[in-house]
Amino acid sequence: PAAEFNLTIEQGAALDQPFLYADPYRMVADAAMALTSTTLTSNTAKFTAADVGKTVRVRGAGASRGILTTTISSVTNATTVVLAAASSFAVSGTNLEIYIPIDLTGYTARMQIRGSAEDSSFLLELTNANGGITLGGTTGFVTIVISAAATAALSAVRAVYDLELVPANGKTIRWLKGTVTISREVTR
């Protein structure tokens, strides 16, 4: 089944929303990073050389205390790794998720936003062919890109969407679905 993610689109503003298409590898709850450091420690993660290049998410270490998403650059030992990006905040005892990105090479992607699932016409269609979806190949990132002009033209306030990925074998994967809230532009 498709994962549910509700989108908010600011009318008149560009949207650049990345998602990671990956298999969860393992999670721990004792990660720590110092302020502006690339070093991450965990007594329970049991890092190995095989972890180099894997995508990690560190809760609370990103901008505005959000999630820092980056990759493992090197493994120092079983409890310490060096990440590709530095933390924005110091954290300790926080959640660390380690993922194996799914290689999107050869995939296509499509997404439609409709007033309701039953509507015969769509409000907006995004694909990797029209530039509305960017596929990150081996990184596993799928990025929804909507221009400011396109969001300004959206008149609905609530809508629905789904995003499908199609690998080279042609078997469609309904990956994401949800509601779309369009926050109406007041100042024009």
Side-chain angles (χ1 to χ4, degrees):
E4 187 150 342
F5 183 86
N6 297 325
L7 286 172
T8 298
I9 296 175
E10 299 291 331
Q11 188 182 42
L15 176 72
D16 187 342
Q17 177 68 57
F19 296 94
L20 178 62
Y21 188 52
D23 285 329
Y25 182 59
R26 66 183 184 272
M27 295 181 242
V28 299
D30 67 342
M33 293 183 79
L35 177 65
T36 67
S37 174
T38 57
T39 300
L40 179 139
T41 60
S42 165
N43 290 327
T44 60
K46 300 178 185 171
F47 298 113
T48 70
D51 290 326
V52 173
K54 288 187 178 144
T55 299
V56 296
R57 293 169 38 103
V58 185
R59 189 165 311 278
S64 302
R65 293 216 176 266
I67 295 172
L68 171 65
T69 302
T70 186
T71 58
I72 296 175
S73 295
S74 64
V75 175
T76 307
N77 56 44
T79 62
T80 307
V81 293
V82 176
L83 304 180
S87 63
S88 297
F89 291 89
V91 292
S92 65
T94 195
N95 291 344
L96 166 68
E97 301 166 351
I98 303 171
Y99 290 89
I100 301 171
I102 294 173
D103 185 354
L104 295 169
T105 302
Y107 278 62
T108 59
R110 59 188 181 224
M111 174 180 155
Q112 292 181 344
I113 299 173
R114 297 176 185 261
S116 73
E118 295 77 26
D119 285 357
S120 59
S121 61
F122 53 81
L123 302 170
L124 188 62
E125 181 173 46
L126 307 173
T127 68
N128 59 304
N130 71 15
I133 300 174
T134 304
L135 298 177
T138 59
T139 68
F141 277 97
V142 176
T143 305
I144 298 169
V145 181
I146 307 175
S147 70
T151 66
L154 293 172
S155 59
V157 176
R158 298 230 350 128
V160 295
Y161 82 97
D162 64 7
L163 190 154
E164 297 177 337
L165 298 173
V166 184
N169 70 11
K171 185 177 180 189
T172 300
I173 301 162
R174 185 171 182 236
W175 180 46
L176 291 176
K177 67 175 182 176
T179 61
V180 177
T181 302
I182 299 160
S183 178
R184 301 292 300 265
E185 184 177 23
V186 176
T187 304
R188 298 178 196 51

Short mmCIF file of all heavy atoms in Angstrom, two decimals, residues 68-137:
data_model
loop_
_atom_site.label_atom_id
_atom_site.label_comp_id
_atom_site.label_asym_id
_atom_site.label_seq_id
_atom_site.Cartn_x
_atom_site.Cartn_y
_atom_site.Cartn_z
N LEU A 68 18.31 15.69 10.19
CA LEU A 68 19.49 15.79 9.32
C LEU A 68 19.51 14.53 8.46
O LEU A 68 19.58 13.42 8.99
CB LEU A 68 20.76 15.88 10.16
CG LEU A 68 22.08 15.78 9.39
CD1 LEU A 68 22.26 16.96 8.45
CD2 LEU A 68 23.25 15.67 10.36
N THR A 69 19.42 14.71 7.15
CA THR A 69 19.50 13.59 6.21
C THR A 69 20.79 13.73 5.43
O THR A 69 21.02 14.74 4.78
CB THR A 69 18.30 13.56 5.25
OG1 THR A 69 17.09 13.47 6.03
CG2 THR A 69 18.37 12.37 4.31
N THR A 70 21.64 12.71 5.50
CA THR A 70 22.94 12.75 4.85
C THR A 70 23.40 11.30 4.63
O THR A 70 22.60 10.38 4.75
CB THR A 70 23.95 13.58 5.68
OG1 THR A 70 25.17 13.70 4.95
CG2 THR A 70 24.19 12.99 7.05
N THR A 71 24.65 11.12 4.30
CA THR A 71 25.19 9.77 4.11
C THR A 71 26.40 9.57 5.02
O THR A 71 27.02 10.52 5.49
CB THR A 71 25.62 9.52 2.65
OG1 THR A 71 26.58 10.50 2.28
CG2 THR A 71 24.43 9.59 1.71
N ILE A 72 26.75 8.30 5.21
CA ILE A 72 27.94 7.95 6.00
C ILE A 72 29.15 8.01 5.07
O ILE A 72 29.20 7.31 4.06
CB ILE A 72 27.79 6.55 6.63
CG1 ILE A 72 26.62 6.54 7.62
CG2 ILE A 72 29.10 6.12 7.31
CD1 ILE A 72 26.30 5.18 8.21
N SER A 73 30.13 8.86 5.42
CA SER A 73 31.35 9.01 4.62
C SER A 73 32.40 7.98 4.98
O SER A 73 33.10 7.46 4.11
CB SER A 73 31.95 10.41 4.80
OG SER A 73 31.08 11.38 4.30
N SER A 74 32.53 7.72 6.28
CA SER A 74 33.52 6.72 6.73
C SER A 74 33.12 6.17 8.08
O SER A 74 32.36 6.79 8.82
CB SER A 74 34.92 7.33 6.80
OG SER A 74 34.97 8.35 7.78
N VAL A 75 33.64 4.98 8.37
CA VAL A 75 33.39 4.32 9.65
C VAL A 75 34.70 4.31 10.44
O VAL A 75 35.70 3.78 9.97
CB VAL A 75 32.87 2.88 9.45
CG1 VAL A 75 32.74 2.16 10.79
CG2 VAL A 75 31.54 2.89 8.71
N THR A 76 34.68 4.93 11.61
CA THR A 76 35.86 4.97 12.47
C THR A 76 36.00 3.67 13.25
O THR A 76 37.07 3.08 13.30
CB THR A 76 35.77 6.17 13.45
OG1 THR A 76 35.53 7.36 12.68
CG2 THR A 76 37.03 6.31 14.26
N ASN A 77 34.88 3.24 13.85
CA ASN A 77 34.83 1.97 14.59
C ASN A 77 33.36 1.59 14.75
O ASN A 77 32.49 2.25 14.18
CB ASN A 77 35.57 2.07 15.93
CG ASN A 77 35.05 3.20 16.80
OD1 ASN A 77 33.84 3.38 16.93
ND2 ASN A 77 35.96 3.96 17.40
N ALA A 78 33.06 0.59 15.53
CA ALA A 78 31.69 0.09 15.66
C ALA A 78 30.73 1.10 16.29
O ALA A 78 29.52 0.97 16.15
CB ALA A 78 31.68 -1.19 16.46
N THR A 79 31.27 2.14 16.95
CA THR A 79 30.41 3.12 17.61
C THR A 79 30.50 4.53 17.02
O THR A 79 29.79 5.42 17.46
CB THR A 79 30.74 3.21 19.12
OG1 THR A 79 32.09 3.66 19.27
CG2 THR A 79 30.53 1.88 19.81
N THR A 80 31.36 4.73 16.02
CA THR A 80 31.59 6.08 15.50
C THR A 80 31.69 6.09 13.99
O THR A 80 32.38 5.26 13.39
CB THR A 80 32.91 6.65 16.08
OG1 THR A 80 32.86 6.55 17.51
CG2 THR A 80 33.10 8.10 15.69
N VAL A 81 30.97 7.06 13.37
CA VAL A 81 31.05 7.28 11.93
C VAL A 81 31.24 8.76 11.65
O VAL A 81 30.97 9.61 12.49
CB VAL A 81 29.79 6.78 11.18
CG1 VAL A 81 29.66 5.27 11.25
CG2 VAL A 81 28.54 7.47 11.67
N VAL A 82 31.71 9.05 10.43
CA VAL A 82 31.80 10.42 9.95
C VAL A 82 30.76 10.58 8.85
O VAL A 82 30.69 9.76 7.93
CB VAL A 82 33.21 10.74 9.42
CG1 VAL A 82 33.26 12.15 8.84
CG2 VAL A 82 34.25 10.57 10.52
N LEU A 83 29.93 11.62 8.98
CA LEU A 83 28.86 11.87 8.02
C LEU A 83 29.29 12.89 6.98
O LEU A 83 30.22 13.67 7.20
CB LEU A 83 27.61 12.38 8.75
CG LEU A 83 27.06 11.48 9.86
CD1 LEU A 83 25.81 12.12 10.49
CD2 LEU A 83 26.74 10.10 9.32
N ALA A 84 28.60 12.92 5.85
CA ALA A 84 28.92 13.85 4.77
C ALA A 84 28.52 15.28 5.11
O ALA A 84 29.10 16.23 4.60
CB ALA A 84 28.25 13.41 3.48
N ALA A 85 27.52 15.45 5.97
CA ALA A 85 27.06 16.79 6.35
C ALA A 85 27.15 16.95 7.86
O ALA A 85 26.98 15.99 8.61
CB ALA A 85 25.63 17.00 5.89
N ALA A 86 27.38 18.17 8.29
CA ALA A 86 27.49 18.48 9.72
C ALA A 86 26.13 18.74 10.34
O ALA A 86 25.18 19.14 9.66
CB ALA A 86 28.38 19.70 9.92
N SER A 87 26.06 18.53 11.64
CA SER A 87 24.83 18.81 12.39
C SER A 87 24.64 20.32 12.52
O SER A 87 25.60 21.08 12.56
CB SER A 87 24.91 18.18 13.78
OG SER A 87 25.98 18.77 14.50
N SER A 88 23.38 20.73 12.60
CA SER A 88 23.07 22.13 12.88
C SER A 88 22.87 22.35 14.37
O SER A 88 22.96 23.48 14.85
CB SER A 88 21.79 22.54 12.14
OG SER A 88 21.97 22.47 10.75
N PHE A 89 22.60 21.25 15.09
CA PHE A 89 22.38 21.31 16.54
C PHE A 89 23.05 20.10 17.19
O PHE A 89 23.17 19.05 16.58
CB PHE A 89 20.88 21.28 16.89
CG PHE A 89 20.15 22.53 16.48
CD1 PHE A 89 19.59 22.64 15.23
CD2 PHE A 89 20.06 23.59 17.35
CE1 PHE A 89 18.93 23.79 14.84
CE2 PHE A 89 19.40 24.76 16.98
CZ PHE A 89 18.84 24.85 15.71
N ALA A 90 23.46 20.26 18.44
CA ALA A 90 23.99 19.14 19.21
C ALA A 90 22.82 18.26 19.65
O ALA A 90 21.76 18.78 20.00
CB ALA A 90 24.76 19.64 20.43
N VAL A 91 23.02 16.95 19.59
CA VAL A 91 21.99 16.01 20.03
C VAL A 91 22.63 14.86 20.79
O VAL A 91 23.79 14.53 20.58
CB VAL A 91 21.18 15.44 18.84
CG1 VAL A 91 20.32 16.50 18.18
CG2 VAL A 91 22.07 14.76 17.82
N SER A 92 21.87 14.27 21.70
CA SER A 92 22.32 13.04 22.36
C SER A 92 21.08 12.23 22.72
O SER A 92 20.01 12.78 22.95
CB SER A 92 23.14 13.36 23.61
OG SER A 92 22.34 14.00 24.58
N GLY A 93 21.23 10.91 22.70
CA GLY A 93 20.10 10.04 22.98
C GLY A 93 18.98 10.18 21.96
O GLY A 93 17.82 10.01 22.29
N THR A 94 19.34 10.48 20.73
CA THR A 94 18.33 10.72 19.70
C THR A 94 18.22 9.54 18.74
O THR A 94 19.07 8.65 18.72
CB THR A 94 18.62 12.02 18.93
OG1 THR A 94 17.46 12.40 18.19
CG2 THR A 94 19.79 11.87 17.98
N ASN A 95 17.17 9.56 17.94
CA ASN A 95 16.94 8.48 16.97
C ASN A 95 17.85 8.63 15.76
O ASN A 95 18.01 9.73 15.22
CB ASN A 95 15.49 8.49 16.49
CG ASN A 95 14.52 8.09 17.57
OD1 ASN A 95 14.91 7.53 18.59
ND2 ASN A 95 13.26 8.37 17.36
N LEU A 96 18.40 7.51 15.33
CA LEU A 96 19.20 7.41 14.12
C LEU A 96 18.57 6.32 13.27
O LEU A 96 18.35 5.21 13.74
CB LEU A 96 20.65 7.03 14.45
CG LEU A 96 21.52 6.57 13.28
CD1 LEU A 96 21.78 7.72 12.31
CD2 LEU A 96 22.81 5.96 13.78
N GLU A 97 18.28 6.64 12.02
CA GLU A 97 17.74 5.67 11.07
C GLU A 97 18.77 5.52 9.96
O GLU A 97 19.24 6.51 9.41
CB GLU A 97 16.42 6.16 10.50
CG GLU A 97 15.36 6.41 11.55
CD GLU A 97 14.18 7.20 11.02
OE1 GLU A 97 14.23 7.71 9.89
OE2 GLU A 97 13.19 7.31 11.76
N ILE A 98 19.10 4.29 9.64
CA ILE A 98 20.06 4.00 8.57
C ILE A 98 19.29 3.29 7.46
O ILE A 98 18.59 2.31 7.72
CB ILE A 98 21.22 3.12 9.07
CG1 ILE A 98 21.91 3.80 10.26
CG2 ILE A 98 22.21 2.85 7.95
CD1 ILE A 98 22.93 2.94 10.97
N TYR A 99 19.40 3.82 6.25
CA TYR A 99 18.62 3.31 5.12
C TYR A 99 19.51 2.84 3.99
O TYR A 99 20.62 3.34 3.81
CB TYR A 99 17.71 4.42 4.55
CG TYR A 99 16.59 4.79 5.47
CD1 TYR A 99 16.75 5.78 6.43
CD2 TYR A 99 15.37 4.16 5.38
CE1 TYR A 99 15.71 6.11 7.27
CE2 TYR A 99 14.32 4.49 6.21
CZ TYR A 99 14.50 5.47 7.15
OH TYR A 99 13.47 5.81 7.99
N ILE A 100 18.97 1.92 3.19
CA ILE A 100 19.60 1.52 1.94
C ILE A 100 18.75 2.12 0.83
O ILE A 100 17.60 1.68 0.61
CB ILE A 100 19.66 -0.01 1.81
CG1 ILE A 100 20.44 -0.62 2.96
CG2 ILE A 100 20.28 -0.40 0.47
CD1 ILE A 100 20.36 -2.13 3.02
N PRO A 101 19.24 3.16 0.14
CA PRO A 101 18.44 3.76 -0.94
C PRO A 101 18.16 2.74 -2.05
O PRO A 101 19.00 1.91 -2.36
CB PRO A 101 19.33 4.89 -1.47
CG PRO A 101 20.37 5.10 -0.43
CD PRO A 101 20.53 3.81 0.30
N ILE A 102 16.99 2.83 -2.62
CA ILE A 102 16.64 1.99 -3.77
C ILE A 102 17.10 2.73 -5.03
O ILE A 102 16.79 3.92 -5.21
CB ILE A 102 15.14 1.69 -3.79
CG1 ILE A 102 14.79 0.82 -2.57
CG2 ILE A 102 14.72 1.01 -5.10
CD1 ILE A 102 13.33 0.57 -2.36
N ASP A 103 17.84 2.05 -5.87
CA ASP A 103 18.37 2.64 -7.11
C ASP A 103 17.22 2.91 -8.07
O ASP A 103 16.53 1.99 -8.51
CB ASP A 103 19.39 1.68 -7.74
CG ASP A 103 20.08 2.26 -8.96
OD1 ASP A 103 19.70 3.36 -9.43
OD2 ASP A 103 21.01 1.61 -9.45
N LEU A 104 17.01 4.18 -8.40
CA LEU A 104 15.91 4.58 -9.27
C LEU A 104 16.33 4.70 -10.74
O LEU A 104 15.56 5.20 -11.56
CB LEU A 104 15.32 5.91 -8.78
CG LEU A 104 14.65 5.83 -7.41
CD1 LEU A 104 14.33 7.22 -6.88
CD2 LEU A 104 13.41 4.97 -7.46
N THR A 105 17.52 4.25 -11.06
CA THR A 105 17.98 4.28 -12.45
C THR A 105 17.01 3.46 -13.30
O THR A 105 16.69 2.32 -12.96
CB THR A 105 19.41 3.72 -12.56
OG1 THR A 105 20.26 4.49 -11.71
CG2 THR A 105 19.92 3.77 -13.99
N GLY A 106 16.54 4.04 -14.39
CA GLY A 106 15.61 3.35 -15.28
C GLY A 106 14.15 3.49 -14.89
O GLY A 106 13.26 3.02 -15.60
N TYR A 107 13.86 4.13 -13.76
CA TYR A 107 12.48 4.34 -13.31
C TYR A 107 11.89 5.57 -14.02
O TYR A 107 12.61 6.47 -14.43
CB TYR A 107 12.42 4.61 -11.81
CG TYR A 107 12.44 3.41 -10.92
CD1 TYR A 107 13.52 2.54 -10.90
CD2 TYR A 107 11.40 3.16 -10.04
CE1 TYR A 107 13.56 1.45 -10.04
CE2 TYR A 107 11.41 2.09 -9.17
CZ TYR A 107 12.49 1.23 -9.18
OH TYR A 107 12.52 0.15 -8.33
N THR A 108 10.58 5.60 -14.09
CA THR A 108 9.86 6.83 -14.42
C THR A 108 8.93 7.11 -13.24
O THR A 108 8.67 6.23 -12.41
CB THR A 108 9.03 6.69 -15.72
OG1 THR A 108 8.09 5.63 -15.56
CG2 THR A 108 9.93 6.43 -16.92
N ALA A 109 8.45 8.36 -13.17
CA ALA A 109 7.57 8.74 -12.06
C ALA A 109 6.47 9.64 -12.59
O ALA A 109 6.68 10.40 -13.54
CB ALA A 109 8.37 9.47 -10.99
N ARG A 110 5.31 9.53 -11.95
CA ARG A 110 4.18 10.37 -12.34
C ARG A 110 3.33 10.67 -11.11
O ARG A 110 3.21 9.84 -10.20
CB ARG A 110 3.36 9.71 -13.43
CG ARG A 110 2.81 8.35 -13.04
CD ARG A 110 2.16 7.65 -14.22
NE ARG A 110 1.62 6.36 -13.79
CZ ARG A 110 1.77 5.24 -14.46
NH1 ARG A 110 2.45 5.24 -15.59
NH2 ARG A 110 1.22 4.14 -14.02
N MET A 111 2.75 11.85 -11.11
CA MET A 111 1.91 12.29 -10.00
C MET A 111 0.83 13.19 -10.56
O MET A 111 1.10 14.03 -11.42
CB MET A 111 2.77 13.05 -8.99
CG MET A 111 2.00 13.68 -7.85
SD MET A 111 3.15 14.54 -6.74
CE MET A 111 2.05 15.73 -6.03
N GLN A 112 -0.38 13.02 -10.06
CA GLN A 112 -1.47 13.91 -10.44
C GLN A 112 -2.14 14.43 -9.18
O GLN A 112 -2.30 13.70 -8.20
CB GLN A 112 -2.50 13.19 -11.30
CG GLN A 112 -1.97 12.84 -12.67
CD GLN A 112 -3.00 12.16 -13.55
OE1 GLN A 112 -4.04 11.68 -13.08
NE2 GLN A 112 -2.71 12.10 -14.85
N ILE A 113 -2.50 15.71 -9.23
CA ILE A 113 -3.28 16.34 -8.18
C ILE A 113 -4.67 16.57 -8.76
O ILE A 113 -4.81 17.16 -9.84
CB ILE A 113 -2.65 17.67 -7.72
CG1 ILE A 113 -1.25 17.43 -7.16
CG2 ILE A 113 -3.55 18.36 -6.69
CD1 ILE A 113 -0.49 18.70 -6.83
N ARG A 114 -5.70 16.07 -8.06
CA ARG A 114 -7.10 16.21 -8.50
C ARG A 114 -7.94 16.76 -7.35
O ARG A 114 -7.61 16.54 -6.19
CB ARG A 114 -7.67 14.85 -8.93
CG ARG A 114 -6.97 14.25 -10.13
CD ARG A 114 -7.54 12.86 -10.45
NE ARG A 114 -6.78 12.24 -11.53
CZ ARG A 114 -7.17 12.22 -12.80
NH1 ARG A 114 -8.30 12.77 -13.14
NH2 ARG A 114 -6.41 11.64 -13.71
N GLY A 115 -9.05 17.38 -7.69
CA GLY A 115 -9.97 17.86 -6.66
C GLY A 115 -10.47 16.73 -5.79
O GLY A 115 -10.59 16.86 -4.58
N SER A 116 -10.75 15.58 -6.41
CA SER A 116 -11.10 14.35 -5.69
C SER A 116 -10.62 13.19 -6.54
O SER A 116 -10.36 13.34 -7.74
CB SER A 116 -12.62 14.25 -5.45
OG SER A 116 -13.29 13.95 -6.66
N ALA A 117 -10.52 12.02 -5.95
CA ALA A 117 -10.03 10.85 -6.67
C ALA A 117 -10.94 10.51 -7.85
O ALA A 117 -10.48 9.94 -8.84
CB ALA A 117 -9.92 9.65 -5.72
N GLU A 118 -12.22 10.88 -7.77
CA GLU A 118 -13.18 10.55 -8.82
C GLU A 118 -13.17 11.54 -9.98
O GLU A 118 -13.75 11.28 -11.03
CB GLU A 118 -14.60 10.48 -8.24
CG GLU A 118 -14.79 9.34 -7.24
CD GLU A 118 -14.18 9.64 -5.86
OE1 GLU A 118 -14.05 10.82 -5.49
OE2 GLU A 118 -13.81 8.67 -5.18
N ASP A 119 -12.56 12.71 -9.80
CA ASP A 119 -12.56 13.72 -10.87
C ASP A 119 -11.90 13.19 -12.14
O ASP A 119 -10.86 12.52 -12.07
CB ASP A 119 -11.83 14.99 -10.42
CG ASP A 119 -12.63 15.83 -9.45
OD1 ASP A 119 -13.78 15.45 -9.17
OD2 ASP A 119 -12.10 16.85 -8.98
N SER A 120 -12.49 13.49 -13.28
CA SER A 120 -11.95 13.00 -14.55
C SER A 120 -10.77 13.85 -15.04
O SER A 120 -9.97 13.40 -15.85
CB SER A 120 -13.04 12.97 -15.63
OG SER A 120 -13.56 14.27 -15.81
N SER A 121 -10.66 15.08 -14.55
CA SER A 121 -9.53 15.92 -14.96
C SER A 121 -8.65 16.23 -13.75
O SER A 121 -9.10 16.18 -12.61
CB SER A 121 -10.03 17.22 -15.59
OG SER A 121 -10.81 17.94 -14.66
N PHE A 122 -7.40 16.53 -14.03
CA PHE A 122 -6.47 16.82 -12.94
C PHE A 122 -6.18 18.31 -12.87
O PHE A 122 -6.31 19.04 -13.87
CB PHE A 122 -5.17 16.01 -13.07
CG PHE A 122 -4.49 16.14 -14.41
CD1 PHE A 122 -3.69 17.23 -14.70
CD2 PHE A 122 -4.65 15.16 -15.39
CE1 PHE A 122 -3.06 17.36 -15.92
CE2 PHE A 122 -4.03 15.27 -16.62
CZ PHE A 122 -3.23 16.38 -16.89
N LEU A 123 -5.78 18.77 -11.69
CA LEU A 123 -5.39 20.16 -11.50
C LEU A 123 -3.95 20.39 -11.92
O LEU A 123 -3.59 21.46 -12.42
CB LEU A 123 -5.54 20.56 -10.02
CG LEU A 123 -6.94 20.40 -9.42
CD1 LEU A 123 -6.90 20.59 -7.91
CD2 LEU A 123 -7.90 21.38 -10.07
N LEU A 124 -3.12 19.38 -11.71
CA LEU A 124 -1.70 19.48 -12.03
C LEU A 124 -1.15 18.07 -12.24
O LEU A 124 -1.47 17.16 -11.48
CB LEU A 124 -0.95 20.17 -10.88
CG LEU A 124 0.50 20.55 -11.08
CD1 LEU A 124 0.66 21.56 -12.21
CD2 LEU A 124 1.07 21.13 -9.79
N GLU A 125 -0.32 17.91 -13.27
CA GLU A 125 0.32 16.63 -13.52
C GLU A 125 1.83 16.83 -13.52
O GLU A 125 2.34 17.71 -14.21
CB GLU A 125 -0.12 16.04 -14.87
CG GLU A 125 0.51 14.69 -15.14
CD GLU A 125 -0.04 14.03 -16.39
OE1 GLU A 125 -0.15 14.71 -17.43
OE2 GLU A 125 -0.35 12.83 -16.30
N LEU A 126 2.51 16.01 -12.74
CA LEU A 126 3.96 16.07 -12.64
C LEU A 126 4.53 14.72 -13.08
O LEU A 126 4.02 13.68 -12.68
CB LEU A 126 4.39 16.36 -11.20
CG LEU A 126 3.77 17.58 -10.53
CD1 LEU A 126 4.15 17.63 -9.06
CD2 LEU A 126 4.20 18.85 -11.24
N THR A 127 5.59 14.76 -13.86
CA THR A 127 6.30 13.55 -14.26
C THR A 127 7.79 13.85 -14.30
O THR A 127 8.19 15.02 -14.28
CB THR A 127 5.86 13.06 -15.67
OG1 THR A 127 6.31 14.01 -16.64
CG2 THR A 127 4.35 12.86 -15.77
N ASN A 128 8.60 12.81 -14.38
CA ASN A 128 10.02 13.09 -14.57
C ASN A 128 10.26 13.59 -16.00
O ASN A 128 11.20 14.34 -16.24
CB ASN A 128 10.89 11.88 -14.21
CG ASN A 128 10.60 10.66 -15.02
OD1 ASN A 128 9.46 10.20 -15.05
ND2 ASN A 128 11.61 10.12 -15.68
N ALA A 129 9.40 13.24 -16.95
CA ALA A 129 9.55 13.71 -18.33
C ALA A 129 9.27 15.21 -18.46
O ALA A 129 9.93 15.90 -19.24
CB ALA A 129 8.62 12.92 -19.26
N ASN A 130 8.30 15.75 -17.67
CA ASN A 130 7.99 17.18 -17.78
C ASN A 130 8.74 18.04 -16.75
O ASN A 130 8.50 19.23 -16.63
CB ASN A 130 6.48 17.43 -17.73
CG ASN A 130 5.85 17.21 -16.36
OD1 ASN A 130 6.51 17.12 -15.33
ND2 ASN A 130 4.52 17.11 -16.34
N GLY A 131 9.65 17.43 -15.99
CA GLY A 131 10.47 18.17 -15.03
C GLY A 131 9.81 18.39 -13.69
O GLY A 131 10.41 19.00 -12.80
N GLY A 132 8.59 17.89 -13.51
CA GLY A 132 7.90 18.07 -12.24
C GLY A 132 8.34 17.11 -11.15
O GLY A 132 8.06 17.32 -9.98
N ILE A 133 9.04 16.04 -11.56
CA ILE A 133 9.60 15.09 -10.61
C ILE A 133 11.03 14.80 -11.04
O ILE A 133 11.29 14.52 -12.21
CB ILE A 133 8.80 13.77 -10.56
CG1 ILE A 133 7.35 14.04 -10.13
CG2 ILE A 133 9.46 12.77 -9.61
CD1 ILE A 133 6.45 12.82 -10.18
N THR A 134 11.94 14.91 -10.10
CA THR A 134 13.34 14.59 -10.35
C THR A 134 13.67 13.28 -9.63
O THR A 134 13.39 13.15 -8.44
CB THR A 134 14.27 15.71 -9.83
OG1 THR A 134 13.87 16.94 -10.43
CG2 THR A 134 15.72 15.43 -10.14
N LEU A 135 14.24 12.35 -10.38
CA LEU A 135 14.65 11.07 -9.80
C LEU A 135 16.15 11.08 -9.59
O LEU A 135 16.90 11.44 -10.50
CB LEU A 135 14.24 9.91 -10.71
CG LEU A 135 12.73 9.77 -10.93
CD1 LEU A 135 12.44 8.65 -11.90
CD2 LEU A 135 12.01 9.53 -9.61
N GLY A 136 16.59 10.67 -8.40
CA GLY A 136 18.00 10.77 -8.01
C GLY A 136 18.85 9.55 -8.29
O GLY A 136 19.91 9.41 -7.67
N GLY A 137 18.42 8.65 -9.15
CA GLY A 137 19.25 7.49 -9.50
C GLY A 137 19.61 6.67 -8.27
O GLY A 137 18.75 6.28 -7.50
#
